[in-house]
Amino acid sequence: MWGKRKTPSDPPLELVTVLASPDPGLIAVATSILQSADIRFLVQGEVIRNLVGLVPVQLQVSREDLDDALALLADLKETEPS
């Protein structure tokens, strides 16, 4: 996860998936966009993809950042291969 460190008094984060893809290039571009916008994220399944190969991974953000993340990634989702 990229961003500020969680403290014990912080409420638990509710994560939602904003992009799922087996394409490591697409995930790299998406994470770069989110980092530039200072949106914290988690790449779920990245370790398995690195071990096994091209399996889908999920890019997740907190529910509070959902709308901003979807707006930033809208062009990427339109070009994602089926």
Side-chain angles (χ1 to χ4, degrees):
M1 176 132 352
W2 182 80
K4 74 177 186 111
R5 175 172 273 150
K6 185 172 174 4
T7 64
S9 62
D10 289 343
L13 285 177
E14 181 181 354
L15 297 176
V16 290
T17 301
V18 292
L19 181 68
S21 176
D23 181 353
L26 183 65
I27 296 297
V29 170
T31 58
S32 177
I33 290 169
L34 294 178
Q35 284 177 343
S36 295
D38 219 17
I39 295 176
R40 297 185 299 165
F41 60 86
L42 175 72
V43 181
Q44 186 74 17
E46 189 172 36
V47 173
I48 293 172
R49 181 188 68 202
N50 291 339
L51 293 173
V52 179
L54 289 178
V55 295
V57 297
Q58 296 179 356
L59 185 58
Q60 300 177 324
V61 300
S62 68
R63 183 160 299 281
E64 67 188 34
D65 292 326
L66 177 62
D67 293 336
D68 292 335
L70 288 175
L72 289 167
L73 301 177
D75 290 338
L76 289 182
K77 293 184 82 157
E78 289 175 10
T79 61
E80 181 180 352
S82 310

